[in-house]
Amino acid sequence: MTFLITAGPTREPLDPVRYLTNRSSGKMGYAIAEAAALSGNRVILISGPTQLEIPDGVDFIPVETAQEMFDVVLKWIDIADVAIFTAAVADYRPANLAEQKIKKQEGQNRMTLELVKNVDILGSARALMGFSGLLVGFAAETENLEQYAKSKLKKKGCDIVFANDVSGADTGFDVDQNALLMVTKNQTKDLGRHSKKELGKMVVQATLEHLGKGCRFEEPCPPECC
Ligand code: PMT
């Protein structure tokens, strides 16, 4: 099977030296990519800028902006059986890209930036890109995790949404631990708090189980596995 995974932040340039970005180390997405590759699947990892090592055995495509991420997802999603969107995509980008560094003006204490909305990559997967495989979204929330995850599930045509609480300092962005709530049409399951590496395996296993394929990461995988 082929997994397409988005990870990391996007960077939206304002001028040659500045950009807008989102918080994301890429650790959650890379852990899922590593687990999917370890369980014998082909993995296409489409990532914004991170400091992480590329996991072994994945096809890696680096991108910077949301539009670049959209273009690469559009190019490859056709061959994917499972698409997992963990990237923290900037919802808006500067309306204008200055060719030269924007200089501060004498006496100007305030500056207004005009932003335009970026394309919703996950939200485009079904209708615009025609993806018919297993669609998995992430929801970074600070409250009402289940409620927001359910609404994302419906609105974006996902089969599964994994919600994580990003309000604290010890799970969510940047750190090595996370806590995930898995929401499907018929079920809400608390996966609990674990290392992102461990949760990566649990996410892959949950997606395979959703497809009726139960990988237990045995080595070597038994013939009926993934
Ligand atoms: O990278 P780490 O430091 O390990 O942190 C992991 C994480 C917290 C970033 C990750 O677990 C996570 O929650 N990723 C989604 C973050 C997010 O921005 O969520 P959102 O609620 O804005 O977006 C919802 C979903 O739509 C996500 O699957 C996102 O990838 C996708 N999306 C959002 C906007 C957009 N323009 N295009 C998208 O594809």
Side-chain angles (χ1 to χ4, degrees):
M1 293 219 304
T2 299
F3 280 63
L4 177 146
I5 298 167
T6 71
T10 64
R11 272 184 190 168
E12 313 297 331
L14 173 62
D15 69 14
V17 297
R18 303 181 181 97
Y19 53 76
L20 297 181
T21 191
N22 268 22
R23 273 184 76 183
S24 169
S25 63
K27 286 176 185 170
M28 191 66 251
Y30 280 49
I32 298 169
E34 188 176 30
L38 265 176
S39 63
N41 298 285
R42 180 179 180 196
V43 178
I44 301 167
L45 175 59
I46 302 162
S47 174
T50 77
Q51 304 293 319
L52 303 176
E53 276 188 27
I54 301 166
D56 282 343
V58 312
D59 293 326
F60 182 76
I61 307 177
V63 295
E64 291 238 340
T65 64
Q67 188 59 50
E68 282 172 23
M69 188 173 273
F70 176 90
D71 292 341
V72 175
V73 169
L74 177 62
K75 185 168 174 192
W76 291 103
I77 200 164
D78 262 6
I79 64 159
D81 303 288
V82 179
I84 304 180
F85 291 76
T86 72
V89 182
D91 288 323
Y92 290 86
R93 67 177 184 278
N96 301 301
L97 171 56
E99 272 180 37
Q100 308 299 333
K101 182 181 172 187
I102 300 168
K103 294 290 187 189
K104 59 177 174 288
Q105 304 292 328
E106 206 53 50
Q108 186 188 33
N109 295 326
R110 277 173 184 253
M111 187 180 175
T112 305
L113 264 186
E114 195 187 348
L115 303 177
V116 290
K117 204 160 191 196
N118 268 331
V119 61
D120 181 352
I121 310 169
L122 173 61
S124 307
R126 291 281 189 231
L128 217 124
M129 302 184 189
F131 179 63
S132 58
L134 191 83
L135 187 61
V136 181
F138 266 68
E141 306 293 351
T142 54
E143 57 177 357
N144 302 330
L145 262 70
E146 184 175 8
Q147 188 191 328
Y148 287 133
K150 277 187 174 159
S151 109
K152 267 191 184 123
L153 190 81
K154 213 167 160 188
K155 212 164 122 197
K156 304 206 182 194
C158 294
D159 298 292
I160 307 175
V161 168
F162 290 97
N164 44 197
D165 187 343
V166 290
S167 62
D170 52 354
T171 59
F173 298 118
D174 303 327
V175 290
D176 290 334
Q177 299 260 319
N178 206 2
L180 291 180
L181 188 72
M182 175 176 138
V183 177
T184 68
K185 201 172 149 202
N186 305 316
Q187 189 195 19
T188 295
K189 187 175 170 188
D190 190 351
L191 298 189
R193 182 186 162 142
H194 303 276
S195 70
K196 285 180 179 169
K197 295 254 181 210
E198 200 50 46
L199 282 167
K201 290 183 185 175
M202 293 165 88
V203 166
V204 171
Q205 187 156 349
T207 58
L208 292 172
E209 276 169 10
H210 203 89
L211 290 167
K213 298 172 190 275
C215 178
R216 282 181 286 285
F217 293 95
E218 290 160 357
E219 285 191 23
C221 276
E224 71 277 12
C225 196
C226 49

